[in-house]
Structures are given as C-alpha cells and as structure tokens.
Amino acid sequence: MNQDYSDHFDEFNEATIADAAKRFESMLQRKETPYFSEEVFESLSEYYMVRGKFDFAMKACNFGLKHYPHSLDLILNKTQILINKFELEEATDLLDNASIFHPSDTEIEYFRGVILMCSGDNAEALDLFRQILPLAEEKENVYFQMGMALVSLGHIPEAIEAFQNAIGCKSKNELVYNELVYCFDVQSNLLGGIDLFNQLIDEDPYNQLAWFALGQCYNQLNLYEKAKDAFEYAVAIEGDFASGWYNLGLSQMNLESFSDAKESFINTLRFEEPSAEVLTHLAASHEKLEEYTEAYKNYKKAADMDEFWDDAWFGMASVLYEQEKYLESIHFVKKAIKLNDINSDFWLLLADNESKLGNVISSEEAYDKAADLDPINADIWLNWSLLHFEQENYHRAFEIVYEGIEEIPDDADLYYRACTYLLYSSSFNEAYKYLQEALVLDYDKHVQLYDFFSNLDTLKALQRIIDQFRK
C-alpha cells in the first residue's frame, strides 16, 4: 500500500535488470521454468512493481519462492502485491508463515500494520507502527504509514508531524509530499504548506519533491504562474520526473499556454506508462490549439485504454462538435453521460449539438438538466437562451437569462444578453437598465452587443449610450 520501490535496486543497475526482465518474459512465453539467483528474482519483482506490472511481479515472486521458499524479500514483495489486489487474507497467511522462520521481524509487523489499515483498523495499526518504530531500519516508511493512519482517524496536525518526520528521515517518497499538501489543504492552511516547502528548499535547493509540493500548493491557491515556476524547477532538477511534467502541464493549461502544456504532457508520457488521464489532458491541449486530428486520436487512445473514462468520450464529442459533426458528437457525448450523468458540461454539449440540428425539444431538455446540475454556469443560460432567440422567441430568451441572473447576479454577460433580447422585444427602457448594470460590472465586454445588431441606427444609439457611460 503506497509503497515506493524506486530506491531498491542496489545490486543491479537499470540496464541489467531490464535485460533480466526480457529473459524472464521470454522464458514465460516458451513455458520454461525461469531460474535466477535469489537477488535477481527480488530485483525483478521490484522492477515490475515500480512499473505497475503486478502480474509479472507476482510471477517473479512465485517462481523465486519455488527456488528460495524462505526469502523474506520475496515474501514481503508478494505480500505487497496481495495487499494491492486487496487479497488481505492470503497476505496475512503469508506473513504468518514467514514469521515462523523470521520471528519478530519488523518488516513483517510493518506489513501487518498496513493490512490493518486496509481493513479499516487504523487505531490498531497506529499502535503497531509506534511499537516497531524504534526497531525499524526504514523509519521513513513507518512514519509515512503512521501519517496515513492519522489522516484516516482525522488527526491532521499529528499526521503532518508524522509526514515531516518521514522527510526528516530523508524520505524520497513522492506520496509523503502529496499527503502533506493534502493535510495543509484540509486545514485550509496552504500558506503554512508553502512556508514548510520553502524551508525545505532553503535546506536543500535540489529537493525536487519540495519544489513539486510547493507547486501543488500554489496550484490549489490558483497561483498558476508561481506553480509553473515551481514545477519547472522540479523537472530541471530531475528531468525524468513524470509527475512534475504532468503538473507543469496542468499549470500551463490554466495559464492558456497550450503549446507548452502539450510538450509537458508529451514529456510525461516519455517517463511513465500511458494512462487515460494523461492522454486526455494531452488531447485537450491539442484541442485548444485546434489540432483536432491529434486531439481526437489521443482522446480515442484514452477511451480504448479505459472504456469507463468519461472525459475521453466527452473529449471526442467536443472535437466532433468543433468540426460541425453534430450527429457523431451526440453519439459520443451520450456515452459520456451514460458513465456520468451528473456532469453539467456533458449535458451542455448534448444540448448544443441538439440545438445545431434543430432538435428543439431534445435541446431544451438537455439545457434544463444542465442548469439543474450547475446553475452558476453562465454558458448554460446563454446558450439555452440563444436557442429561443434564434426562433425569434425573444420573451422566452429573456426569461432564461433572467433566471441565470438570479443565480449569478454579478455576471456581466447575462446582463448584456438580457439587454439584447429586450431591445429585440422593443422594451427599450428595461434594456437600458440592464445595459447600465452590465457596463458597471464589466465595461469592456460591451463589444459582444455588436454581434447581435446589423442595423446602423441601432448600433449608433447603443454606442452613444456606452460613450455617455464612459464619460
């Protein structure tokens, strides 16, 4: 559970163990019984666990234990895999058998504590971790699990202390830093987190995990420029830091630096196995750059990788909508809605597609559903009202934006649109009131009015009012 294996290759370098992995897999394909030294089997299992290939890791453990049945490292690696698969009873039996030959071993007790946590017995697990802490060789791992147990028990200040102790033991586990950020966020004290991570950076400017955690804090505070700078330091220190590249990409997306974000997501995929999540963000960066072919291709890869990843289906629908392929777009957005029917963006896209096809009733139903789910999304009210405006039903169009104004009374776009519909209804005095309010909220957005009027006299009258307001 939440174990970091990246520092476990003491006996073998990456190239050597990668070669051993190829030979191991080749033997499996030929249905031969693999035979290596105990140390190679241990390193193979860890090699596969680092990469999330738990089936191969389990095979390495099982074949290794056939030859070396009392190897504690292989037993513990197999225990970890069983825990990851939530096969806790088998994991417990394995530890019970191991304790016969390795009585009072702290690593065995450590994994008993992890199993207790997985079973929801966090208080008992915490007691066990405290008992073995003085004797544990890798105290940073024990402190980390203590912190996780304390988080589950709702003891956030004590959890922060435990995670800080893990860092004090020179932990290089990314999860320790992630959990610290989480704790500071739960406490609504991200500024405290920023102070801590800056202190860690002062102590060691090459601590890429501290830079990474600092960036996460800034991201949570919507300080995207500062977050970007922190993530850039993290990947400059460790060029193959996949999580650093991924979060850098997220910050760049928020800063609308879509080309840079695309490169960051590409780098993420260079240094870790592809995932539906990363592929979806890469696709979104392509979409923002209007590179629709590449965007669709990556959204499709994400959906092929995980058919339940609703954002991938939505992404394909969004690309098809931009390409004016409305019928195809509806097909994919309905797949997204089937997976997640409480996402207002999905219903909004369905409504927009139906509107483009002239399916007024279907569009109306979808807009209504979107508004129920997210009444403070101005785009829903604006697009919904436009459906009726295009049918010259100006009164109904105004009613819809009026509902939106009641939900979002400080949104200038809704006031400008209300003004537009009232002018079309010849309700000039009312239109003037809404125009005044819109100009107060955001003067610069008045240019959107010009998209709705082609009559020169109307445009001149509007401009006079706007100019008077500016004076």
Side-chain angles (χ1 to χ4, degrees):
M1 174 180 171
N2 296 328
Q3 186 83 355
D4 186 359
Y5 302 95
S6 56
D7 297 326
H8 288 194
F9 302 111
D10 296 328
E11 296 87 354
F12 305 96
N13 62 39
E14 186 77 9
T16 302
I17 202 63
D19 181 63
K22 288 180 183 177
R23 286 188 285 128
F24 178 70
E25 291 169 31
S26 177
M27 292 169 125
L28 292 178
Q29 286 179 345
R30 296 195 302 267
K31 297 186 177 179
E32 297 176 3
T33 299
Y35 182 82
F36 299 97
S37 70
E38 181 179 347
E39 290 78 8
V40 171
F41 274 121
E42 291 167 5
S43 293
L44 272 173
S45 63
E46 289 160 4
Y47 173 86
Y48 287 124
M49 282 192 281
V50 167
R51 287 155 181 76
K53 297 181 177 180
F54 293 105
D55 287 342
F56 277 115
M58 180 64 86
K59 288 175 182 177
C61 289
N62 286 337
F63 279 112
L65 286 168
K66 281 184 179 179
H67 299 297
Y68 312 101
H70 304 310
S71 169
L72 183 58
D73 285 337
L74 285 171
I75 289 169
L76 294 177
N77 286 350
K78 182 174 180 178
T79 300
Q80 178 66 66
I81 298 164
L82 290 169
I83 291 171
N84 287 350
K85 296 169 71 175
F86 222 74
E87 296 176 8
L88 304 183
E89 189 173 341
E90 187 176 347
T92 301
D93 290 343
L94 194 61
L95 292 178
D96 288 342
N97 290 331
S99 65
I100 296 171
F101 299 98
H102 305 276
S104 303
D105 185 274
T106 55
E107 288 190 87
I108 292 175
E109 296 308 304
Y110 167 84
F111 278 105
R112 289 194 194 280
V114 173
I115 291 170
L116 285 168
M117 288 177 60
C118 290
S119 303
D121 298 321
N122 292 291
E124 190 176 347
L126 186 59
D127 288 340
L128 182 54
F129 291 135
R130 284 172 173 156
Q131 289 173 27
I132 66 171
L133 181 62
L135 301 173
E137 290 184 14
E138 297 180 350
K139 287 182 169 52
E140 64 273 21
N141 290 337
V142 181
Y143 276 124
F144 172 66
Q145 297 297 351
M146 287 173 64
M148 295 299 293
L150 287 161
V151 167
S152 297
L153 292 167
H155 301 159
I156 302 301
E158 294 92 335
I160 289 174
E161 183 180 351
F163 292 134
Q164 286 185 262
N165 285 333
I167 292 172
C169 295
K170 308 302 180 186
S171 173
K172 292 298 181 182
N173 186 349
E174 182 184 322
L175 294 171
V176 175
Y177 289 81
N178 289 343
E179 291 299 328
L180 261 176
V181 174
Y182 169 78
C183 287
F184 282 115
D185 191 19
V186 167
Q187 284 192 319
S188 300
N189 185 27
L190 286 166
L191 294 178
I194 288 170
D195 289 341
L196 171 64
F197 299 125
N198 274 319
Q199 180 184 334
L200 292 172
I201 290 165
D202 288 341
E203 294 170 3
D204 178 8
Y206 294 97
N207 183 343
Q208 82 278 3
L209 293 175
W211 282 110
F212 175 68
L214 180 64
Q216 287 183 300
C217 288
Y218 283 133
N219 249 353
Q220 297 277 39
L221 292 168
N222 300 327
L223 299 171
Y224 301 123
E225 191 68 45
K226 288 187 174 183
K228 177 185 74 72
D229 292 343
F231 293 131
E232 283 178 340
Y233 278 113
V235 297
I237 294 165
E238 186 175 314
D240 61 354
F241 186 15
S243 295
W245 283 111
Y246 175 68
N247 281 273
L248 175 58
L250 295 180
S251 295
Q252 290 163 333
M253 288 292 284
N254 285 317
L255 292 167
E256 299 186 2
S257 301
F258 303 124
S259 183
D260 291 336
K262 179 176 75 174
E263 292 306 312
S264 294
F265 294 132
I266 289 171
N267 279 325
T268 304
L269 294 169
R270 284 177 58 203
F271 303 121
E272 71 176 19
E273 292 294 317
S275 67
E277 183 177 8
V278 177
L279 286 168
T280 298
H281 283 293
L282 174 59
S285 65
H286 281 295
E287 185 179 358
K288 291 293 186 180
L289 293 166
E290 299 182 8
E291 298 169 354
Y292 295 127
T293 301
E294 285 299 307
Y296 184 88
K297 182 173 74 175
N298 282 290
Y299 281 132
K300 187 176 186 305
K301 282 183 183 178
D304 289 343
M305 184 169 287
D306 183 353
E307 62 179 314
F308 299 107
W309 194 256
D310 50 15
D311 283 337
W313 298 108
F314 172 72
M316 284 189 281
S318 178
V319 168
L320 291 166
Y321 177 83
E322 294 298 333
Q323 296 176 312
E324 300 183 4
K325 298 177 181 178
Y326 304 122
L327 275 173
E328 294 173 69
S329 178
I330 286 174
H331 170 72
F332 287 111
V333 77
K334 282 185 174 179
K335 279 181 172 287
I337 289 171
K338 189 174 181 180
L339 291 168
N340 179 3
D341 64 358
I342 60 171
N343 188 314
S344 64
D345 290 335
F346 297 177
W347 287 100
L348 176 57
L349 181 57
L350 176 61
D352 288 343
N353 275 298
E354 297 284 11
S355 176
K356 290 292 186 181
L357 292 171
N359 300 330
V360 177
I361 294 174
S362 298
S363 181
E364 182 87 13
E365 290 173 350
Y367 281 129
D368 190 37
K369 179 69 173 179
D372 282 344
L373 289 168
D374 188 8
I376 59 172
N377 182 345
D379 286 338
I380 296 171
W381 303 107
L382 293 169
N383 293 12
W384 189 2
S385 68
L386 199 61
L387 172 70
H388 294 278
F389 173 77
E390 289 172 348
Q391 295 178 314
E392 299 184 6
N393 188 349
Y394 307 130
H395 178 70
R396 178 60 184 144
F398 172 75
E399 284 183 338
I400 290 168
V401 291
Y402 182 79
E403 286 183 60
I405 288 169
E406 289 191 317
E407 296 288 350
I408 327 168
D410 56 353
D411 189 279
D413 293 327
L414 290 170
Y415 284 91
Y416 282 117
R417 192 67 65 83
C419 170
T420 299
Y421 299 153
L422 287 166
L423 286 172
Y424 270 88
S425 301
S426 300
S427 301
F428 300 115
N429 289 335
E430 279 294 298
Y432 179 68
K433 291 177 186 176
Y434 280 93
L435 177 57
Q436 280 188 311
E437 189 65 34
L439 291 167
V440 169
L441 288 168
D442 193 328
Y443 176 86
D444 292 335
K445 286 188 173 182
H446 72 266
V447 294
Q448 64 187 271
L449 290 171
Y450 306 146
D451 294 334
F452 288 89
F453 299 98
S454 56
N455 183 283
L456 191 58
D457 291 335
T458 304
L459 288 170
K460 285 180 178 179
L462 276 171
Q463 193 60 52
R464 280 197 299 271
I465 296 169
I466 292 166
D467 288 342
Q468 286 175 357
F469 181 86
R470 184 167 54 184
K471 293 175 185 177

